[in-house]
Amino acid sequence: MKPYQVLIFIACVMAGLATLCVVLPGRIALGATELKWPALTEVLGIQKTPDTIIPMDTIAQLDTLLTPDTVVQQEQTLSPAIVKADSIAPQKEDNCQLSTVNYQLSESDSRIYLSSFYASLSQSGKQVVRVLHYGDSQIEEDRMTQQIREALQDRYGGSGVGLMPLAQTIPSRTVKQQLHMNGRQIQPAQGPRRFIVYGPKRDRRDDGLYGVMGQVAVMNDSLVPGSEKLMAVCTPQDPKNRYSKWQVLADSAIQYSFSRDTVFLSGKGNVYGLSQESDTGMIVDNIPMRGCLGLVFTKMDSAQLADFYREQNVRLIILQFGGNAIPFNETPSTIQGIVRGLRKQVQYLRMLAPEASFLFIGPSDMLTQIDGVWQTYPMVPYMDRLLQQMAQDEQIAYFSLYRWMGGSGSMAKWQEAGLAGEDGIHFMRSGARKAGNAVAKWILEGIESE
Amino acid sequence: MDFLQYILAFNSESPLLFTQFYFWAFFALVYALFALLLSLPFGKGSGLGSPYKKLHLRNIYLMFVSWFFYYKTSGLFLLILAFVTLSDWIIAGRIKSAISHHKPQIAKGLLCLSVIIDLGLLAYFKYAYFFTNMVNDLFGTGFRVFDIFAYIGNGFAEAGRFSVDTIVLPVGISFYIFQVISYTVDVYRGRIQPVKNILDFGFYVSFFPQLVAGPIVRAEEFIPQLYKPFHLSRRVFGIAVFWILNGLAKKIIMSDFLAVNLIDRVFNNPLLFSGFENLFALFAYSLQVYADFSGYSDIAIGLAMLMGFYLPMNFNSPYKSQSPQEFWRRWHMSLGRWLKGYLYIPLGGNRKIGFGTYFWLSLIAFVSAALTNWWWQILVPFALFMLVVAVINSAPFRERWGTGFYKLLYSNLNSFITQVLGGLWHGASWNFIIWGGINGIGMIVEKIWRKMNWHLRFLSITVLTFGLMALDYFYALPVWRLFLVWSAIIWIGTAIRYVYWLITQDMTINCQLSIINSKLSKAWAILQTFTFITFTRLFFRSSSNLDPATANEVAWETARNMVNQIGGAWNNAIIPEFLWAYKYVVAMFVAGMLIHWLPTNWKRRYRLAFSAMPLWLMVIVVCLAIVVIYQFVTAEMQPFIYFQF
């Protein structure tokens, strides 16, 4: 073939594709499936933004007057601050100065709802002041909680990493666990039967007795009573996390003893968790609930929770949820439903822990591919604002992780900077450290400004 | 003005990629001028010059186009490309001259100079962080990298324009450096004549289809094509179009779709997923890496063909390999051939071991000791091993033992070194060295296994399986469980084949039974090799956006967490749920593997059928194929679903 013939072939292919761009731009329904093809302007880069799925319908039965439209508008009005935060995000962690730009404008007020917690800090020299950090997979492995714990313990004393499950199915960065049963080392999955309030149906139980961590290990569940003898070696990975006492949250039928980093357990019954802690000062517990929307607290036994919150002097409950709602809910109404559900959880927990203050940490920026382009899930800013509104209505503190990161698209910058993973959702360890430090700093700054 | 800048200027965020529209518009324009140039009536009486001049002009044109392509991709690193082009062209010319004047020492010296310059540049840009970190770790120093080129650049431009604190890796440097080395060495070996015109040579070094991701074209394969006129048969044209479409489909459907919807998220955070999901993602990653890399190579080969050039085949269905050794003959073949020709053979191949072998083995042992901090645990056994090798390599022993043994020994030692250094070529971090090392060890173990008789094979796998069983019982670490399961599978396969061998060794076997046995053995070997290669991939992935020290840490942690999950968080109950929820991803993986494993003849047939299509039909098929591929670009993402709690 001659080169000009090849050229004609290339031209024909391009002309064919261009014709399709003119004739069939956008989405074409083909039965149950949908065919997509770009418009010419999109191909040539004249119109780069693909369709967004932000719904334009108005929302009548809303707790707030927010709509996705107004959220987008508000985003735009915050643009100077967002730009500033953007410029910070891509830098490496060590060079970063934590930005408080956005929420100084609109959210610093919410820290007044932490007043009761701030006041309780004065007790930390004499007794334990406990902080529970419930969250989704973003806080697994003690991410973010670790920084909050370090900041509070540095200033107000206390030691130990706090609560951990009997069988650590998800490793922690701060405590390494080895499990032995009847004299031989086993893997966590080979340990006692577990029930998890945020797990699938097969892993749940009817009586609601999951303990404060939302998961319970049942020793000698189906065996001859007393046949399982467990030994858990839980070694803190950092000397800073040395502790002065063990605590075992278990039924009275469970016998236990300790030797340094090892706890020995026998008997038949529920074990709700182990805890390494100090006699006084701050104890900050990391309680990750993988895949959880945060709507599970009302399924947990109220008396059990209330007893723990009261006896252990829980003075701050941090709830970090919302992210798991985003990929599955594309309409404002479903997001509103979830936020309503979260509001009920907050009310329920406040009833059980009347002495505690509450801080809600909203979802981070999250990316998905829409028409082949990575961009923020359209519902993230909307959910963030609804959660903020909910927090304001319920008079609890709110930290917008999304806006602190830099708003829409900031996750991509975090990825470039090696702070977030390729999935566009989870932080890398360095990113989690940065976010944890930001939350810790924000909480502590509130004390100073009191 | 902005539009012109967008089209012409370097922008690190929009490099020219085969998967983007901009590249194809660029290629169409390049081809239009290319066609115009080739249609000019060069020759006697035309007034334009000789036909050679036309070829020369074509080469110059494609060189400048390639330089523009590289500039769009890498900006001022074009100067590095230009420098090695100039340097190797001059030195190769001097080498030829020294050889002609019977001055072999000078020729050798010049060859060394060229290799030092080329590898020095590669080492500086690619391995500066790696070596700096290693020195800092070993000696507790606090050295930091310094970008000397940025420093010089700042002298010419305004101060501070280029950052001196970071060294950016120029795109494709590993490929074109290997090409220029092959040119100079081939000239030294007398396999090719030096290229007279530097612009022709520049074209060989920078030919844009293969510039940034291979195939690595050896000088002796490509230089002769510089002087051949354009020729493209109708069938080859069809094959070229097929390769391009095939490459695009592999890259976008098999690679990107699988990566975005499953693989990236599992590798990013293995602990969020169950053992089965991790294992599935690992196997899918094997397919992804192949589809990604070979997809690019296919496109490069197709594009070059359209311009009348032939690049070497780079992948030959590597997951059909029946042994790790065969795998390396089918995977990234242009690199394999390069390493064989310019590293393995010079080390001695299976003929000898010399200073090079001892030097590299010692260096690998030293680096391994430094990496693990197991100084005496590694260096003492290594020293003993080297002593044994030196003794048995002495003349009295050599006379006593047959050449077969020594061939195996030499070839194993030299190929191990080749594998480790080949691993380092893929990336400047420990995980790639480990990856290369595991491949080297796998190759050696498989060779030894094949030399064993059936009694010994059965005995050794039985001992290994029982040993792992004991380890798993007393120390239930996920890694033992993983090895135990794999070993048990191999044990079952070996036991069946052992029994078959015991029964049939003294019998005349039915021909059909023999064929079935042979096919089953082949399938078994393919599956075992694929599994082995897949597990080496645990160490093959490294994040490019992290600093090297963190990248190392993350890569190691990812591998460890994946092993933990595969060996420790297995839950059969969730397998059906996962397969259903990720049905499109699973279907793509299965389809990809089935296509990969199609018989070679079938593939050849449908390739030929495509190339024989009438052109009008081919246009329609190409358009439809692109529409289908685009559906995968824009497909909605598989949402996150957790199965493991």
Side-chain angles (χ1 to χ4, degrees), chain B residues 206-279:
Chain B
S206 61
F207 186 35
F208 71 89
Q210 43 80 230
L211 179 58
V212 296
I216 298 167
V217 188
R218 289 171 65 172
E220 62 178 329
E221 294 166 339
F222 196 81
I223 297 286
Q225 296 186 47
L226 296 176
Y227 311 113
K228 284 187 182 163
F230 175 87
H231 175 74
L232 183 69
S233 70
R234 170 68 181 75
R235 178 183 281 187
V236 173
F237 166 76
I239 298 280
V241 174
F242 178 87
W243 281 129
I244 292 171
L245 270 190
N246 196 48
L248 279 174
K250 273 185 187 172
K251 173 81 182 86
I252 291 168
I253 301 176
M254 289 303 162
S255 172
D256 293 353
F257 181 79
L258 285 177
V260 165
N261 287 291
L262 178 70
I263 300 164
D264 284 350
R265 50 180 82 166
V266 175
F267 272 82
N268 189 47
N269 206 337
L271 297 176
L272 283 176
F273 300 89
S274 67
F276 179 77
E277 288 164 280
N278 273 271
L279 187 67

Side-chain angles (χ1 to χ4, degrees), chain A residues 192-387:
Chain A
R193 170 92 164 93
R194 288 191 319 141
F195 291 95
I196 311 154
V197 69
Y198 51 90
K201 203 171 178 183
R202 62 173 177 268
D203 288 341
R204 295 201 291 263
R205 60 196 288 177
D206 297 330
D207 58 12
L209 293 173
Y210 295 99
V212 69
M213 297 189 78
Q215 61 169 298
V216 57
V218 185
M219 282 188 63
N220 294 304
D221 185 24
S222 55
L223 301 171
V224 181
S227 70
E228 274 179 8
K229 286 191 171 58
L230 278 172
M231 181 176 92
V233 185
C234 306
T235 318
Q237 296 298 288
D238 188 331
K240 278 193 293 189
N241 290 325
R242 292 311 308 175
Y243 55 97
S244 57
K245 71 169 187 182
W246 273 102
Q247 193 180 176
V248 173
L249 306 176
D251 289 349
S252 55
I254 298 289
Q255 295 95 46
Y256 50 84
S257 58
F258 315 103
S259 168
R260 302 168 75 89
D261 290 341
T262 306
V263 55
F264 303 90
L265 300 113
S266 59
K268 181 179 168 73
N270 299 322
V271 182
Y272 301 105
L274 314 172
S275 179
Q276 292 179 339
E277 51 195 58
S278 51
D279 294 313
T280 58
M282 306 301 301
I283 307 298
V284 183
D285 303 301
N286 171 254
I287 309 178
M289 298 177 155
R290 175 178 292 179
C292 185
L293 282 171
L295 305 175
V296 293
F297 297 98
T298 43
K299 294 175 192 160
M300 293 156 73
D301 185 75
S302 57
Q304 200 176 38
L305 289 182
D307 288 350
F308 181 88
Y309 296 151
R310 187 181 59 254
E311 288 164 11
Q312 303 282 329
N313 197 27
V314 174
R315 302 308 297 263
L316 175 63
I317 295 178
I318 304 173
L319 301 168
Q320 185 170 346
F321 294 102
N324 284 303
I326 300 296
F328 301 94
N329 297 282
E330 293 179 351
T331 63
S333 57
T334 51
I335 296 290
Q336 292 153 27
I338 289 162
V339 175
R340 271 196 295 271
L342 285 168
R343 180 193 295 267
K344 281 181 191 152
Q345 303 299 314
V346 170
Q347 290 165 347
Y348 179 72
L349 286 172
R350 196 160 45 197
M351 185 182 75
L352 304 179
E355 297 290 312
S357 300
F358 286 80
L359 163 62
F360 202 105
I361 300 176
S364 65
D365 186 32
M366 295 166 68
L367 302 182
T368 187
Q369 273 196 349
I370 300 174
D371 290 349
V373 181
W374 282 98
Q375 54 190 293
T376 294
Y377 275 99
M379 282 298 125
V380 173
Y382 183 55
M383 175 153 221
D384 176 61
R385 288 306 170 96
L386 279 190
L387 286 170

